[in-house]
Amino acid sequence: MSISQRAQNLVPSATVVIAATARRLRAQGIDVIGFGQGEPDFDTPEHIKEAAIQAIREGFTKYTASGGIDELKDAVTTKLKRDNDLVYTRDQILISCGGKHSLFNVFQALLESGDEVIIPAPYWVSFPEQVKVCGGKPVFVQTHEREGFRLHRELVEPLVTPRTKILLLNSPCNPTGAAVSLAELESLADLATEWGFWLLSDETYEALVYDEHQHVSIASLSDRVYAQTIVVNSLSKAYSMTGWRVGYTAASKEIIRAMDGLQSQETSNPTSIAQRAAVAALTGPQVTVQRMREEFDRRRRYIVERLNAMPGIRCIKPQGAFYVFPNVSGMYGRHYAGTIIRNSNDFTAYLLEAARIAVVPGIEFGNDEHVRISYATSLENIKEGMDRMAEAVKGLG
Ligand code: PLP
């Protein structure tokens, strides 16, 4: 009796592991500030919760169509038109149990064994693991700190082969917060149409963009690009609904039909109650999204300034999401209590021990010179955490 190779090859989500370590330490009475989890610290807005409560009271608690209720699909098509200038019909939309599930269904529906998926690095931890589980081969395109982690055609083109099936875009990006500019999107779209591979656009952080950046969905660039693009989005971050598990895909009818078939055998429908809440989120007032964005922006500016004031650490100002990705390699070779810090894992362990702050080592995202710090925690926590980190950095020999 043995565990499948597929399951054994899988690397568990590092961010979830770090959050669990922080929780365990807290349970022991150790006061740890968590900068690990990618989850807004705001409550789900009241009108969204009310819609769920009403759904329960009405007895809307049974199976729904596996791909989601029409009312929610219509709310998604309205949102895509309103925010992204994209026109889809109901049969081009699939509602899944979170964006993570949407992505998994996309890979399941499209990948044959050995198909290559180009993934910009640093990358969100689940992308390569999902591709591998679905039989695909992740091909990493390294973006560079000196270019603000910008993704552009010149980086991607040399990696394209006849086996390239998908180019994954994640703008704004987890973990760097980098956002792809319109000109860069256009040149990447040209590359995709020249070669005929799919563009998978994960727009989970679209609502959280800062300064002059404006989010544009690559699918909106032309009819041809639209036909080659699969848009994935989630309600988790924009509406602080991580626990509700609602994400969606917009793509061609053929792809959606295939994904729906898979989903019907995997999970059936996303939770009926959460779907009703999602309708309220997408169609109701958007002012809470705006307020949350403004608060994240305040924290972003503060944390970047604090990090750059620490000798040996540098941090570019991200244009989106709620993460900073400072370069901490200036700490490597330094030591404490007889231990030398050699990499992002060592530095993360040191911060947990000396500063009681939990961050995620950059190696988990494919870059060992950095750590990821989520600023989805109160400004008060961020201030305290940065004070502790500054002290810890000073304490290194
Ligand atoms: N895509 C990216 C880049 C993410 O960071 C996340 C969550 O952290 C997701 C998708 C999926 O979020 P969810 O499954 O909660 O919708």
Side-chain angles (χ1 to χ4, degrees):
M1 286 199 289
S2 63
I3 302 296
S4 76
Q5 206 52 52
R6 198 169 53 251
Q8 288 188 53
N9 288 348
L10 201 71
V11 180
S13 169
T15 46
V16 174
V17 173
I18 303 277
T21 309
R23 263 198 302 275
R24 184 169 44 76
L25 290 171
R26 268 190 223 111
Q28 291 166 10
I30 301 167
D31 141 49
V32 175
I33 300 179
F35 290 110
Q37 192 85 325
E39 172 165 76
D41 53 314
F42 306 99
D43 197 6
T44 304
E46 214 47 45
H47 68 283
I48 300 175
K49 292 201 275 191
E50 275 307 321
I53 292 164
Q54 201 181 327
I56 295 174
R57 294 233 161 87
E58 282 172 14
F60 192 71
T61 53
K62 304 288 168 61
Y63 290 134
T64 72
S66 63
I69 56 175
D70 285 348
E71 200 188 350
L72 180 51
K73 290 185 182 179
D74 291 348
V76 168
T77 56
T78 304
K79 179 265 171 225
L80 289 166
K81 178 76 191 106
R82 178 188 71 205
D83 298 349
N84 310 103
D85 199 22
L86 287 169
V87 177
Y88 289 97
T89 48
R90 223 183 242 173
D91 47 6
Q92 291 181 278
I93 305 295
L94 186 84
I95 313 298
S96 300
C97 310
K100 198 180 246 184
H101 186 213
S102 304
L103 290 162
F104 193 76
N105 284 330
V106 173
F107 295 132
Q108 283 285 9
L110 293 185
L111 293 180
E112 299 290 358
S113 176
D115 279 349
E116 295 172 2
V117 179
I118 300 181
I119 302 177
Y123 46 78
W124 178 46
V125 290
S126 295
F127 291 141
E129 297 310 313
Q130 289 200 350
V131 167
K132 283 191 279 177
V133 171
C134 297
K137 182 176 162 211
V139 174
F140 298 113
V141 48
Q142 290 298 334
T143 61
H144 304 292
E145 183 193 9
R146 63 175 182 278
E147 296 183 335
F149 295 109
R150 277 177 42 233
L151 181 70
H152 50 87
R153 180 178 170 137
E154 292 66 36
L155 295 176
V156 178
E157 197 159 7
L159 300 173
V160 178
T161 76
R163 298 254 24 200
T164 303
K165 189 75 170 267
I166 301 175
L167 168 62
L168 201 150
L169 299 174
N170 175 214
S171 177
C173 166
N174 174 8
T176 64
V180 185
S181 73
L182 181 56
E184 287 156 357
L185 283 181
E186 281 167 347
S187 64
L188 290 165
D190 287 345
L191 189 64
T193 51
E194 281 158 35
W195 280 83
F197 53 74
W198 295 104
L199 290 162
L200 172 54
S201 184
D202 177 344
E203 305 184 9
T204 294
Y205 294 95
E206 109 185 276
L208 302 174
V209 292
Y210 313 110
D211 299 333
E212 72 291 346
H213 184 78
Q214 297 220 332
H215 176 80
V216 172
S217 176
I218 194 163
S220 68
L221 294 184
S222 71
D223 289 349
R224 189 145 174 222
V225 182
Y226 171 90
Q228 267 177 246
T229 303
I230 301 143
V231 176
V232 165
N233 209 328
S234 161
L235 278 82
S236 288
K237 319 288 173 169
Y239 299 100
S240 203
M241 288 179 72
T242 45
W244 299 74
R245 312 309 301 134
V246 187
Y248 57 88
T249 310
S252 71
K253 290 176 196 170
E254 292 69 34
I255 292 179
I256 293 300
R257 201 177 309 120
M259 290 172 64
D260 197 356
L262 287 160
Q263 183 161 299
S264 73
Q265 297 296 9
E266 291 165 347
T267 56
S268 296
N269 58 279
T271 309
S272 58
I273 303 153
Q275 290 189 65
R276 276 281 186 82
V279 171
L282 292 172
T283 59
Q286 302 296 304
V287 60
T288 50
V289 183
Q290 187 54 21
R291 271 199 221 115
M292 193 164 68
R293 197 197 66 79
E294 284 163 12
E295 178 56 25
F296 279 136
D297 189 18
R298 239 188 309 280
R299 298 173 186 179
R300 173 187 71 117
R301 282 183 272 124
Y302 177 79
I303 202 166
V304 168
E305 203 178 303
R306 288 297 306 268
L307 287 164
N308 281 321
M310 296 179 202
I313 292 184
R314 61 169 187 261
C315 184
I316 59 166
K317 200 191 261 176
Q319 296 151 296
F322 43 64
Y323 310 103
V324 282
F325 200 59
N327 187 315
V328 297
S329 62
M331 303 294 115
Y332 301 173
R334 296 179 65 184
H335 55 89
Y336 66 102
T339 305
I340 298 183
I341 293 177
R342 296 184 196 279
N343 51 42
S344 62
N345 270 323
D346 291 350
F347 187 61
T348 299
Y350 173 65
L351 287 183
L352 200 52
E353 191 175 313
R356 297 172 325 294
I357 68 172
V359 304
V360 187
I363 189 72
E364 302 294 343
F365 309 99
N367 190 320
D368 204 19
E369 298 203 326
H370 296 251
V371 294
R372 189 191 78 175
I373 302 179
S374 159
Y375 50 88
T377 186
S378 69
L379 199 51
E380 195 188 350
N381 275 346
I382 295 172
K383 282 184 176 151
E384 172 65 20
M386 288 301 103
D387 287 349
R388 292 187 193 179
M389 183 167 166
E391 274 307 302
V393 165
K394 266 194 228 149
L396 283 170

